[in-house]
Amino acid sequence: MNKRKIGDSIQQFGRTLLLPIGVLAPIGMLLGISGALTQDYMVDKVPFLGNEAVNTILVSIKTISNVVFDNIPLLFAMGVAYGMGKKDKGISVFASVAGYLTLIVAMNVWLTITGTMADPEVMTQQGQINILGIQTVNISAAGGILTGLIAAWATERFYNLELPAALAFFSGKKSVPIITIGLMATVGMLLPFVWTYFVGLLTNLSTIFLSVVGPFFTAAGERLFIPFGLHHVWNALFRFTEAGGSYVIDGKTYVGVVPAITEILFNQGPNSEYWSMMPKLSRFMAQQQMLVVLFLFPAIAFAMYKAAYKENKAYVKSMLVTMVLTALLGNVTEPLEFTFVFLAPLLYIVYACIVGIGAVLLSLADVSIGYIRGTIFDFTIFGLLYENSRWIFLVLIGLGLAVVTYFIFYWAIIRFDIKTPGREELQNVDSTLLKEKRYDEIASKVVEALGGKENILNVDNCITRLRIDLKEVRDIDKELLNSTGCSGFFFPTAKHIHIVYGTQVEFIKNAVDEKV
């Protein structure tokens, strides 16, 4: 496998993490609301919340929502299998579920054979966990991700497997889950031997992440990985593995930041003894994103507006406001970031460093806000509704960095004549097709601009971008592509194009699929 294929595979893997994370985010908001409104201090402030019917509804929402977080590895197994599979995603997902169940049972058998099965009361301290009623080795989301990768590989490799006539019934797609089960049984018996060494490696990495300057690397790293589509992989590293640390809460060990913060936010609450751990956890989570979307983005957009040519300001303003609102309400940052990341990469690096510095300052101020998303809604739920979140320091630090960011961007744009929105001679600000949701017309133009359907090898998308593999790039009509209303496009690799449309991209992708 050459470097390009390896890079493409890593990007594809990063996209697969969006599906389970996309489920965790809104369910996390439900848990956040129900968890906050059932806290004793909230009931004291708003007696209506103590009403039996209201409390029952809130507790029920919390209980039902918890099923998602109790089965995070299984969600990752299905999400990765779906995202990495190409030939038959349904079979790939089915095989991943069968494979994951086999994995946890195989590790249970290993614990039994080796005599290392811990007593249920102390199993979490010994790296074991109960999943779906099965006591097994706690490999967290990594087990689900590994299963998903193996299931996707088995689907691609054995989808058309032909067996002798006597076994013909098990040929083709039926062979995929059977082979996956066999592979995961083997993995489950071998994995505990190597897991100890792997955990040691991640634990060593955690010494960097968990240091005082750790938030700088995690926050700045996320911004720097965004143009390459690898930020989801980066975030998953410390959110779901030992690289993010291990935390003992109520006698139970939680691996990674997300499981630990989930327990404290939604079960323990601000009045528990474990709330003091929140600043150590939340510094790697959404408060970094809130710093960006609530404060830095308005500053960057305002700097671009002030630097735009006078005759362009009217229509550029609406575009910039839309980009800021997209981040503020939807947690999607690429549209605005892509207006300068490729035009001024050094400025983008400075921007990433500002975010990193801000993350460190939030950590030093013991700010304890947020879960996965960084929208204004999340700030309201996890910042304003929860006691002891120290949200005021996010506002103070955010406002200070916003002023610094504004002057840096305005100076850089003017000094180096960076062609940000409003400073180009010919502006692509016509997003009529996108605003009117004329996806079929957009798709027709995209296919034509990319050299016709015969030049398109594969079409995929992430949250904001079309990701298309091409045979040749020489015949691309850039003007026609701009006329579709995209925010921009670029080539992360030689024959792979990213076209930025924002949160409506999935509908455009579906329309393009129909055309090709």
Side-chain angles (χ1 to χ4, degrees):
M1 184 179 288
N2 59 36
K3 290 183 179 180
R4 178 179 176 273
K5 288 185 178 180
I6 292 174
D8 290 346
S9 296
I10 293 174
Q11 287 195 24
Q12 184 181 5
F13 173 67
R15 297 196 297 272
T16 68
L17 301 179
L18 291 176
L19 188 56
I21 290 173
V23 172
L24 294 179
I27 299 301
M29 289 184 68
L30 279 177
L31 275 173
I33 295 172
S34 58
L37 297 183
T38 53
Q39 296 294 324
D40 291 339
Y41 71 86
M42 284 297 295
V43 175
D44 291 339
K45 290 181 178 179
V46 187
F48 169 74
L49 297 175
N51 178 274
E52 183 177 355
V54 174
N55 183 261
T56 299
I57 291 172
L58 292 172
V59 171
S60 299
I61 292 173
K62 182 179 175 181
T63 302
I64 294 170
S65 299
N66 260 323
V67 72
V68 172
F69 293 92
D70 290 340
N71 295 285
I72 285 176
L74 182 58
L75 294 181
F76 273 96
M78 294 188 290
V80 170
Y82 178 86
M84 297 299 289
K86 294 180 180 179
K87 291 181 178 177
D88 192 322
K89 293 179 180 293
I91 287 295
S92 184
V93 171
F94 179 78
S96 74
V97 175
Y100 181 71
L101 294 176
T102 303
L103 174 66
I104 59 176
V105 170
M107 292 191 295
N108 173 275
V109 170
W110 183 87
L111 291 173
T112 302
I113 292 174
T114 58
T116 53
M117 185 79 72
D119 291 333
E121 294 79 11
V122 296
M123 64 178 176
T124 59
Q125 288 93 322
Q126 297 187 27
Q128 298 174 28
I129 192 172
N130 190 295
I131 301 176
L132 300 174
I134 302 167
Q135 187 170 330
T136 188
V137 178
N138 185 5
I139 57 176
S140 193
I145 291 171
L146 177 62
T147 305
L149 290 171
I150 290 176
W153 173 82
T155 303
E156 301 302 300
R157 179 68 176 80
F158 300 108
Y159 179 77
N160 289 316
L161 177 66
E162 291 187 29
L163 296 173
L167 301 174
F169 177 78
F170 303 105
S171 296
K173 62 178 66 177
K174 295 185 185 72
S175 69
V176 174
I178 297 172
I179 292 172
T180 302
I181 288 172
L183 291 172
M184 295 315 300
T186 303
V187 170
M189 296 300 290
L190 296 177
L191 189 58
F193 288 106
V194 301
W195 188 249
T196 302
Y197 300 101
F198 181 66
V199 169
L201 176 64
L202 292 178
T203 302
N204 290 334
L205 185 60
S206 72
T207 59
I208 299 175
F209 287 157
L210 301 182
S211 67
V212 175
V213 295
F216 177 88
F217 295 106
T218 58
E222 179 185 13
R223 306 333 294 183
L224 294 174
F225 278 124
I226 282 177
F228 308 100
L230 302 178
H231 50 299
H232 307 295
V233 179
W234 176 251
N235 286 336
L237 181 63
F238 51 86
R239 288 182 176 179
F240 298 102
T241 75
E242 282 79 357
S246 296
Y247 307 88
V248 179
I249 304 170
D250 251 353
K252 185 176 180 180
T253 301
Y254 295 84
V255 176
V257 174
V258 169
I261 201 172
T262 298
E263 171 64 19
I264 294 175
L265 266 179
F266 307 137
N267 296 324
Q268 300 293 332
N271 292 328
S272 77
E273 59 181 300
Y274 299 104
W275 190 262
S276 60
M277 298 171 62
M278 273 296 291
K280 297 179 180 179
L281 300 169
S282 62
R283 61 180 179 160
F284 301 119
M285 298 292 286
Q287 63 189 39
Q288 300 175 354
Q289 186 80 341
M290 291 177 190
L291 184 70
V292 173
V293 303
L294 300 183
F295 301 99
L296 302 191
F297 262 33
I300 293 171
F302 189 52
M304 290 181 177
Y305 172 75
K306 294 292 287 185
Y309 298 141
K310 184 177 180 179
E311 63 272 18
N312 294 335
K313 285 189 175 183
Y315 54 73
V316 166
K317 178 172 69 174
S318 63
M319 180 177 68
L320 292 172
V321 168
T322 300
M323 290 178 176
V324 171
L325 289 177
T326 297
L328 193 69
L329 304 177
N331 202 49
V332 177
T333 62
E334 285 95 333
L336 183 60
E337 287 170 330
F338 281 16
T339 61
F340 66 94
V341 59
F342 301 107
L343 292 173
L346 291 179
L347 181 59
Y348 189 83
I349 292 174
V350 171
Y351 155 71
C353 290
I354 293 173
V355 177
I357 292 170
V360 172
L361 293 176
L362 293 177
S363 176
L364 294 175
D366 285 341
V367 175
S368 306
I369 303 175
Y371 191 52
I372 292 177
R373 290 162 56 86
T375 68
I376 186 67
F377 305 115
D378 294 84
F379 173 71
T380 301
I381 295 169
F382 297 109
L384 303 183
L385 290 183
Y386 273 78
E387 284 188 339
N388 305 321
S389 66
R390 297 172 68 87
W391 60 266
I392 189 64
F393 288 98
L394 171 65
V395 175
L396 295 175
I397 293 169
L399 288 175
L401 289 179
V403 173
V404 173
T405 301
Y406 167 78
F407 284 109
I408 289 176
F409 268 74
Y410 183 78
W411 172 82
I413 291 170
I414 299 298
R415 175 66 177 80
F416 300 105
D417 192 24
I418 301 173
K419 299 300 182 182
T420 50
R423 293 183 60 81
E424 297 174 341
E425 297 301 325
L426 293 174
Q427 291 294 315
N428 172 39
V429 294
D430 183 8
S431 56
T432 302
L433 294 178
L434 202 57
K435 289 180 179 178
E436 296 180 357
K437 301 181 179 181
R438 289 150 61 180
Y439 305 127
D440 189 69
E441 292 181 49
I442 294 174
S444 296
K445 287 191 173 187
V446 168
V447 173
E448 182 182 350
L450 297 180
K453 61 182 181 181
E454 61 278 356
N455 194 43
I456 296 176
L457 298 176
N458 183 62
V459 181
D460 204 347
N461 71 280
C462 62
I463 292 179
T464 58
R465 317 173 209 171
L466 272 183
R467 303 183 179 215
I468 301 178
D469 294 316
L470 304 171
K471 289 182 181 179
E472 298 292 340
V473 298
R474 291 173 295 182
D475 299 328
I476 290 181
D477 188 334
K478 295 181 180 180
E479 291 186 8
L480 182 59
L481 198 55
N482 278 326
S483 71
T484 64
C486 65
S487 301
F489 58 88
F490 64 99
F491 292 87
T493 56
K495 295 183 179 180
H496 182 70
I497 187 172
H498 287 193
I499 311 172
V500 185
Y501 284 105
T503 53
Q504 294 167 287
V505 68
E506 186 171 350
F507 304 106
I508 299 172
K509 186 262 185 184
N510 293 339
V512 172
D513 278 340
E514 293 178 1
K515 299 294 181 183
V516 299

